[in-house]
Amino acid sequence: MPVTATNSEIVTTTCGQQVDLSATELVIERSNSLFSYNIHKLKSGEYVIAEKFYANPFNNRYILLNDEQIEMLKSL
């Protein structure tokens, strides 16, 4: 039986949910030499904000938000 390799990127959000970022739609992508800030849309309609710090990956954060929370952020 052949082995198929997948490029999954399983992360754990700040609320403890595991998400495969490779199976999401990248909505916003921003980065500079220090970190990247991306927003991914899940098939469930929820969003994950991924903050990745190049110098210290232990500080990476993955924040899960739903549509209502995204709308609240838009009004700030």
Side-chain angles (χ1 to χ4, degrees):
M1 183 167 162
V3 175
T4 11
T6 58
N7 293 330
S8 65
E9 186 180 355
I10 306 291
V11 299
T12 303
T13 65
T14 54
C15 66
Q17 182 173 334
Q18 288 196 332
V19 175
D20 183 358
L21 291 183
S22 67
T24 63
E25 174 188 348
L26 184 59
V27 178
I28 294 176
E29 183 175 25
R30 302 281 186 269
S31 65
N32 60 31
S33 60
L34 300 175
F35 70 95
S36 69
Y37 175 87
N38 302 322
I39 297 178
H40 301 262
K41 185 173 184 179
L42 305 175
K43 291 177 184 175
S44 66
E46 296 171 305
Y47 294 84
V48 172
I49 299 173
E51 298 176 328
K52 297 181 181 181
F53 296 88
Y54 302 130
N56 189 355
F58 294 106
N59 288 337
N60 291 353
R61 290 190 305 174
Y62 305 95
I63 305 162
L64 182 66
L65 299 172
N66 60 31
D67 284 334
E68 183 179 306
Q69 292 165 318
I70 291 289
E71 289 302 318
M72 286 174 47
L73 286 175
K74 288 180 184 178
S75 65
L76 294 177

